[in-house]
Each structure stands twice: as C-alpha cells, then as structure tokens.
Amino acid sequence: MKKVKEINIINPEFIYVPYEKGTEKKNDSKVYLEEILGMRKDKYVYSTVSGLYVSNCEVYTSLGSTNAKIIENDFMDKRKEHFSSKKSLYALKKEEIISSLSKYNITIPKNLNVNIYYKKNYSSESLLFEEKAEELLELLDVINTTLKSEVNIFVNSSDQKALEFLDKYSNSYPNINILYDKTVSEKIEVLDLVKIYHIIKSNRLINYKYVTILGKNLELNVKVKLYTKVLDLINILNLEEFKNISIIDINGKNYFSEEAIIDENVVGITLK
C-alpha cells in the first residue's frame, strides 16, 4: 500500500530560470532571491534562490525548449530589498492594488476564474491552496469587493482535500462562487493567485511549488524551489532506481526531457 509522505522543502544546488528576454548578467555576479531576470510569455521571471549567476543554457519546460539562466544557490535566500507587509488587504484602495500588480505586468479581469487542478492522486494544487487558504480567500474577497470583479473557484467534486477546506471557509465568503465539475477557458491557477497575494501583501513573489511524485509503493508530495531540474530533484530524493520518468503539467500533458525543469505548470512526476 502506498504511504503518502510530504517533504518540505527541496532546495537544490542550482536552479534554471527560463526566459525569452533576459537581463544581462556577468558570470559569478550576485543574484538575489526573487530578483527579476527577464520575461517569458509576457510574464516576469525571477530567481527563486539567492546566489551566483553561472551561465546560460537550454532547458525543457511545459511550454517547450527555451533559454535559461543557471543560478548557483548560496542557500541564504538573501533579498536586495525588504518591504513591510500590509496588515490588511481590506484597507487598500483600488488604485493601490492595481498599481502594485502593474509593476509585474499583471491585471485582474472582470471575471476572475480560479482553477484548482485535480487528477486522482495528484494533490499539488490542492496542497498549495490549503496552505494559503485563509490568505487567498481574503484576497479573492478583496478582488470582489474592492476591484468589483466576479470571483469563481472551479473545483472537482472528487477532490476531497479541496472540498474540505472550501467547506470550512465558504460561509465567511458568500460572494465567492464555488463551481463543481465545470471548465472555463479563461482562468488562473493557484500558483498565480498566490503570486498575486504576495505582490499585494508585501511586494514579494512565490519561490516554490508543490509537486506530487508517484511510483510503485510511492506517493510523495514535495515542496520544491521553482526551476529545479527534474533529474536533480529525483537524485536529491534518492529515487534514481526509477528509469522511466513522466512529467505531467496542469493541462494534462505528459512529457520528459533530460533537461526538464519544474516550472509553474508542473503538477506531478510519475516514476516506473
């Protein structure tokens, strides 16, 4: 019988930040945690560790091959700047929220659809929402009341973990719509929502995500730094005996490459 185990947090020796347009960096130059390093698909990309810039390389992501900046981790998570956290999002004016997000090229649509990805045994998205449930529901309520956006959460009725924490808080947020077993084309994922919360709350970014790893008699939920190489993660966890690797992304696509990294869309890894 599989034993479900949660591991917190995998901090690799190197990360590989994917980009299309990148900032110039000299070899061995200092990189700070959450420092912006370029853009990809109109989104800013950033370092999820502090350390040294090593060089560029090519990696494989859920969106295909792309350039990446290799950052050697100093395991200190140093930030260039520190910002105080706002006590309550409810105290913020509409203009303040919009201004905070615009710095990161983020806009909130009039209909905000949050998708909690679900596939049997893959708990990564539910785990992240559960970890941040109070903060995210506060954020969604502020988006509804201050920005006047309609807020919908899409959840699968088979996702017991998601149903439990949504049921716990549902009466406190009556204006947030919970929709079961429905799909929508325009949506954001849980990781994007957490990023929005951190930006508004303290001008910070999220630097990790959960990934579910499945194999024979194996089920791990791993909290891992974004942009970790998949093979590095497997080596850190001492799972090298598994030779067949399949990565699953949030759109249900399966793939593998020797140069694959854990990007924002990866939800799980299957090992055989």
Side-chain angles (χ1 to χ4, degrees):
M1 181 178 179
K2 291 182 180 179
K3 293 182 179 180
V4 180
K5 183 178 179 182
E6 292 185 18
I7 299 176
N8 195 7
I9 176 174
I10 300 298
N11 205 1
E13 186 176 353
F14 296 93
I15 61 159
Y16 303 79
V17 183
Y19 71 93
E20 292 169 347
K21 298 177 182 178
T23 58
E24 292 295 327
K25 279 284 184 183
K26 294 182 180 179
N27 289 359
D28 296 324
S29 61
K30 180 67 180 176
V31 175
Y32 294 93
L33 176 65
E34 296 164 16
E35 178 181 341
I36 301 295
L37 296 177
M39 293 196 74
R40 188 170 189 232
K41 305 300 181 187
D42 297 322
K43 293 183 179 181
Y44 285 106
V45 291
Y46 52 93
S47 181
T48 57
V49 301
S50 63
L52 297 176
Y53 166 68
V54 177
S55 63
N56 287 358
C57 68
E58 187 172 289
V59 295
Y60 195 85
T61 74
S62 61
L63 302 175
S65 296
T66 190
N67 293 320
K69 293 184 182 296
I70 306 173
I71 311 300
E72 184 177 3
N73 192 355
D74 63 10
F75 301 97
M76 299 180 74
D77 282 352
K78 288 184 178 179
R79 292 183 173 83
K80 192 171 186 177
E81 296 180 86
H82 291 268
F83 300 92
S84 58
S85 293
K86 300 172 180 67
K87 289 184 179 180
S88 172
L89 299 188
Y90 290 103
L92 298 176
K93 295 180 180 179
K94 178 180 179 180
E95 293 73 20
E96 292 178 280
I97 297 172
I98 292 173
S99 177
S100 295
L101 295 176
S102 66
K103 295 174 185 176
Y104 294 90
N105 205 31
I106 296 172
T107 57
I108 302 295
K110 292 304 293 181
N111 290 287
L112 183 69
N113 300 312
V114 181
N115 180 58
I116 302 180
Y117 176 87
Y118 176 77
K119 185 176 180 180
K120 187 178 180 180
N121 296 326
Y122 287 93
S123 304
S124 54
E125 292 296 286
S126 297
L127 283 169
L128 183 57
F129 201 107
E130 181 181 36
E131 178 187 324
K132 299 287 186 178
E134 291 186 39
E135 295 97 328
L136 295 183
L137 289 168
E138 176 192 1
L139 170 65
L140 291 173
D141 197 42
V142 166
I143 287 173
N144 175 256
T145 57
T146 304
L147 299 186
K148 307 301 181 185
S149 291
E150 180 180 328
V151 175
N152 305 302
I153 297 177
F154 289 79
V155 62
N156 191 296
S157 59
S158 299
D159 188 349
Q160 292 301 315
K161 187 177 289 291
L163 295 180
E164 284 174 12
F165 60 71
L166 287 173
D167 183 64
K168 179 180 178 181
Y169 295 104
S170 60
N171 291 334
S172 301
Y173 301 97
N175 293 326
I176 297 175
N177 304 312
I178 312 298
L179 303 176
Y180 302 94
D181 303 322
K182 296 181 182 295
T183 59
V184 65
S185 56
E186 297 296 325
K187 63 194 177 195
I188 71 167
E189 310 300 341
V190 175
L191 190 76
D192 292 322
L193 192 63
V194 176
K195 187 182 296 184
I196 289 170
Y197 175 82
H198 282 311
I199 289 170
I200 296 173
K201 183 75 173 179
S202 56
N203 199 33
R204 288 191 47 200
L205 294 158
I206 186 168
N207 54 64
Y208 67 87
K209 75 165 302 167
Y210 284 96
V211 174
T212 301
I213 301 177
L214 299 176
K216 185 178 180 181
N217 300 320
L218 173 71
E219 186 170 337
L220 302 177
N221 288 311
V222 180
K223 194 174 183 178
V224 59
K225 288 281 188 176
L226 273 167
Y227 311 135
T228 299
K229 188 171 282 190
V230 171
L231 289 181
D232 290 349
L233 173 60
I234 289 171
N235 289 336
I236 291 169
L237 295 172
N238 297 314
L239 298 174
E240 300 95 329
E241 73 271 18
F242 294 97
K243 303 303 180 184
N244 192 318
I245 303 169
S246 181
I247 303 165
I248 183 169
D249 72 12
I250 208 142
N251 296 310
K253 183 178 76 171
N254 287 273
Y255 62 92
F256 177 69
S257 163
E258 294 282 333
E259 304 305 322
I261 62 169
I262 304 292
D263 70 2
E264 291 85 350
N265 295 323
V266 172
V267 294
I269 300 170
T270 303
L271 303 175
K272 293 182 181 179

XYZ file of all heavy atoms in Angstrom, residues 21 65 93 99 157 179 195 198 202:
69
model
N 13.248 36.876 -22.996
C 14.033 38.114 -22.974
C 14.670 38.211 -21.601
O 13.973 38.262 -20.588
C 13.138 39.337 -23.233
C 12.459 39.326 -24.593
C 11.541 40.527 -24.742
C 10.814 40.493 -26.086
N 9.879 41.647 -26.232
N 11.135 23.935 -25.297
C 12.522 24.328 -25.026
C 12.656 25.847 -24.984
O 11.969 26.567 -25.701
C 13.454 23.767 -26.107
O 13.461 22.362 -26.070
N -6.749 50.707 -1.196
C -7.637 51.283 -2.196
C -7.431 50.567 -3.529
O -6.396 49.953 -3.775
C -7.358 52.777 -2.348
C -7.672 53.584 -1.108
C -7.366 55.059 -1.324
C -7.688 55.872 -0.077
N -7.367 57.309 -0.249
N -1.876 49.404 -8.953
C -0.505 49.882 -9.109
C 0.513 48.815 -8.725
O 1.515 48.613 -9.427
C -0.296 51.139 -8.253
O 1.040 51.581 -8.325
N -15.477 17.690 -7.877
C -16.208 17.134 -6.737
C -15.539 15.890 -6.158
O -15.919 15.430 -5.073
C -17.654 16.804 -7.143
O -17.682 15.871 -8.203
N -17.795 26.483 -8.066
C -18.415 25.765 -9.180
C -17.778 24.381 -9.297
O -16.556 24.254 -9.357
C -18.233 26.551 -10.477
C -18.792 27.987 -10.449
C -18.471 28.714 -11.741
C -20.301 27.968 -10.215
N 0.937 34.180 -6.091
C 1.863 35.233 -6.520
C 1.207 36.608 -6.377
O 1.826 37.561 -5.879
C 2.285 34.985 -7.970
C 3.378 35.911 -8.473
C 3.706 35.642 -9.936
C 4.268 34.268 -10.152
N 4.666 34.045 -11.573
N 1.113 37.638 -2.677
C 2.416 38.071 -2.162
C 2.790 39.462 -2.677
O 3.352 40.280 -1.930
C 3.503 37.069 -2.532
C 3.522 35.838 -1.668
N 3.503 35.895 -0.303
C 3.550 34.514 -1.988
C 3.534 34.666 0.195
N 3.550 33.816 -0.814
N 3.150 42.183 0.259
C 4.486 42.575 0.711
C 5.488 42.794 -0.416
O 6.692 42.781 -0.173
C 5.028 41.519 1.678
O 5.030 40.239 1.071
